[in-house]
């Protein structure tokens, strides 16, 4: 009677022991320039994942797991335990990515150890063409965080999502749909059959207005010019005035966005985060600057629209402009032009960038 009453429970337990459902990673959509040149691609990789539940429950394997992570994967013990403590406290990840691009030697050593706490999974790593040149535009991807999982609950702890740039802005388009495979196991847990239930789907292709050739040329010329001046910071933006398409966007200093897909390059990431030159800050998009002479055509349009001046009206520019001071009439405010310009109308004032006009 007891067995009969718990039939559904034992049936579900037996089914769970018999089969193991696993996601099949889907590649992200590629990103290209306006001609179709690939700027962000994918490469198949093997990932080493820490099964957090297994690790916390099976105390006998903890020392061996930590040792393997350090000696084979290059994850320092203090970093390893920091990840476990953080994720164990938050309890939002079932698996942690220890390495997202195993080489053949690492793969063989892990398989030889056959630790139940470390599982090897197939996946895809993001590969960026000319990382430093395009990083301010493309951004980069990284392992999901707690906030990512709140926004995208369908993801798992071993998934990667866009973190900055176009990678995060178009996350819903670029992210593919994972497939599902079922592994049938015998009573001892050995896999006797594996079948694919749902095939993975690649994400959408993202075609930019950016001209890759112009972007590289712009970057190299700006880098060279800054070097000649002894400067380290500069930015540039090229826009098609006919329709506002962004053709190139350069930010110096820049960074190699490929380093974020490799835990072994953590020191380089820390260096970027602590750099006083702030290479991760996109100065083109996020910086605040005085508009300078770019505001003059807007002033001109406003003056014409309001009927303040006619295009042919001339104004004399001696190289400065005195503004009456109502508080001290003997001390007018003096605004300097960049040079003496004489009589200028709207056409010559715009051409010569006359501050006085």
């Amino acid at each position: 009677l007891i067995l009969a009453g718990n039939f559904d429970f034992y049936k579900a337990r037996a089914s769970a022991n018999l089969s193991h459902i696993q996601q099949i990673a889907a590649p992200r959509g590629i990103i290209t320039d306006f001609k179709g040149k690939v700027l962000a691609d994918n490469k198949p990789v093997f990932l080493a994942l820490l099964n957090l539940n297994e690790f916390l429950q099976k105390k006998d394997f903890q020392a061996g797991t930590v040792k393997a992570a350090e000696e084979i994967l290059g994850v320092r013990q203090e970093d390893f335990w920091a990840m476990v403590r953080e994720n164990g406290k938050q309890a939002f990840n079932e698996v942690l990515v220890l390495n997202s691009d195993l080489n053949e030697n690492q793969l063989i050593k892990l398989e030889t150890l056959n630790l139940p706490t470390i599982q090897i999974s197939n996946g895809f790593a993001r590969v960026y063409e000319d990382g430093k040149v395009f990083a301010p535009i493309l951004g980069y991807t990284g392992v999901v965080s707690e906030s990512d999982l709140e926004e995208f609950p369908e993801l798992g702890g071993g998934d990667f999502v866009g973190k900055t740039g176009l990678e995060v802005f178009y996350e819903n388009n670029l992210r593919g749909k994972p497939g599902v495979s079922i592994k049938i196991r015998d009573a001892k847990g050995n896999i006797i059959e594996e079948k694919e239930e749902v095939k993975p789907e690649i994400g959408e292709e993202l075609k930019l207005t950016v001209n890759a050739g112009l972007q590289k040329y712009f970057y190299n010329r700006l880098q060279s010019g800054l070097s000649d001046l002894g400067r380290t910071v500069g930015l540039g933006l090229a826009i098609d005035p006919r329709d506002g398409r962004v053709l190139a966007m350069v930010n110096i200093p820049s960074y190699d966005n490929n380093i974020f897909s490799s835990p072994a390059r953590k020191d380089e990431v820390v260096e970027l985060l602590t750099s006083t030159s702030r290479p991760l800050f996109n100065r083109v998009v996020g910086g605040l600057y005085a508009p300078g002479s770019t505001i003059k055509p807007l002033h001109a349009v406003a003056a014409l629209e309001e009927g303040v001046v006619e295009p042919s009206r001339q104004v004399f520019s001696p190289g400065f402009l005195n503004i009456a001071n109502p508080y001290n009439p003997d001390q007018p405010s003096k605004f300097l032009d960049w040079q003496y310009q004489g009589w200028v109308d709207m056409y010559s004032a715009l051409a010569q960038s006359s501050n006085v006009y």
Side-chain angles (χ1 to χ4, degrees):
L1 290 175
I2 294 175
L3 289 176
N6 291 280
F7 173 77
D8 291 336
F9 169 77
Y10 288 113
K11 179 181 178 182
R13 287 293 300 272
S15 178
N17 290 333
L18 176 65
S19 62
H20 174 66
I21 299 175
Q22 186 174 8
Q23 277 196 349
I24 305 173
R28 290 175 71 81
I30 63 172
I31 303 177
T32 73
D33 82 338
F34 82 111
K35 288 185 177 179
K37 177 177 174 53
V38 178
L39 306 177
D41 204 349
N42 308 290
K43 70 171 182 177
V45 293
F46 289 103
L47 297 87
L49 305 175
L50 175 69
N51 188 315
L52 196 55
N53 291 331
E54 289 283 305
F55 178 78
L56 295 175
Q57 291 175 13
K58 298 183 177 179
K59 305 288 186 181
D60 294 343
F61 290 96
Q62 288 187 356
T65 301
V66 175
K67 183 179 179 182
E70 183 170 42
E71 295 182 357
I72 300 176
L73 304 177
V75 180
R76 292 174 295 204
Q77 289 193 29
E78 56 268 29
D79 294 334
F80 180 95
W81 284 111
M83 285 193 298
V84 171
R85 282 194 298 270
E86 183 63 25
N87 287 274
K89 178 179 64 178
Q90 301 294 341
F92 66 87
N93 274 345
E94 293 182 0
V95 296
L96 301 178
V97 178
L98 296 177
N99 189 297
S100 57
D101 189 5
L102 295 172
N103 59 41
E104 186 176 357
N105 187 42
Q106 292 171 319
L107 187 61
I108 292 172
K109 286 182 177 179
L110 286 178
E111 288 183 333
T112 301
L113 290 176
N114 195 29
L115 290 167
T117 52
I118 297 180
Q119 56 192 73
I120 298 170
S121 175
N122 296 326
F124 295 92
R126 209 56 158 159
V127 180
Y128 298 104
E129 175 79 11
D130 291 311
K132 284 192 173 184
V133 177
F134 295 97
I137 299 175
L138 303 179
Y140 58 87
T141 61
V143 179
V144 294
S145 63
E146 184 177 11
S147 58
D148 292 326
L149 291 176
E150 289 175 358
E151 185 175 359
F152 310 113
E154 70 275 14
L155 297 178
D159 290 322
F160 288 75
V161 295
K163 294 293 185 179
T164 63
L166 296 181
E167 288 280 24
V168 66
F169 191 84
Y170 289 102
E171 172 63 28
N172 287 325
N173 304 84
L174 291 169
R175 190 175 69 248
K177 295 181 180 179
V180 176
S181 70
I182 298 179
K183 296 180 180 180
I184 308 300
R185 301 179 292 196
D186 61 18
K188 295 182 178 180
N190 299 314
I191 297 173
I192 56 177
E193 183 184 354
E194 183 173 354
K195 55 184 180 179
E196 190 175 72
E197 289 290 304
V198 180
K199 291 185 178 295
E201 297 179 21
I202 188 171
E204 298 175 23
E205 178 181 333
L206 181 61
K207 190 171 186 178
L208 311 182
T209 61
V210 170
N211 182 324
L214 176 61
Q215 176 78 8
K216 288 183 183 180
Y217 175 80
F218 200 167
Y219 179 88
N220 292 330
R221 289 288 292 162
L222 182 58
Q223 184 76 70
S224 176
L226 290 173
S227 179
D228 291 342
L229 293 171
R231 303 292 181 87
T232 58
V233 176
L235 56 97
L237 182 65
I239 297 177
D240 190 328
R242 297 169 298 181
D243 52 22
R245 289 182 302 147
V246 175
L247 306 178
M249 188 179 79
V250 176
N251 192 72
I252 295 175
S254 186
Y255 62 95
D256 182 3
N257 45 4
N258 288 290
I259 70 173
F260 291 91
S261 61
S262 174
R265 302 179 72 175
K266 182 179 179 180
D267 290 341
E268 294 178 66
V269 175
V270 172
E271 187 177 343
L272 285 178
L273 294 172
T274 56
S275 173
T276 56
S277 61
R278 303 176 68 191
L280 293 175
F281 175 55
N282 190 330
R283 291 171 167 83
V284 179
V285 175
L288 297 176
Y289 310 97
S293 293
T294 60
I295 202 70
K296 289 173 181 173
L298 300 182
H299 284 165
V301 170
L304 291 173
E305 181 72 19
E306 297 295 326
V308 175
V309 295
E310 293 293 328
S312 58
R313 179 188 171 182
Q314 292 188 323
V315 173
F316 184 73
S317 172
F320 61 88
L321 182 65
N322 282 335
I323 304 295
N325 186 337
Y327 306 104
N328 295 295
D330 296 334
Q331 299 178 9
S333 298
K334 189 174 186 177
F335 295 90
L336 296 177
D337 210 333
W338 67 281
Q339 69 171 21
Y340 169 89
Q341 302 200 40
W343 291 98
V344 291
D345 58 16
M346 182 169 286
Y347 304 102
S348 55
L350 288 174
Q352 297 165 200
S353 193
S354 171
N355 293 339
V356 168
Y357 188 95

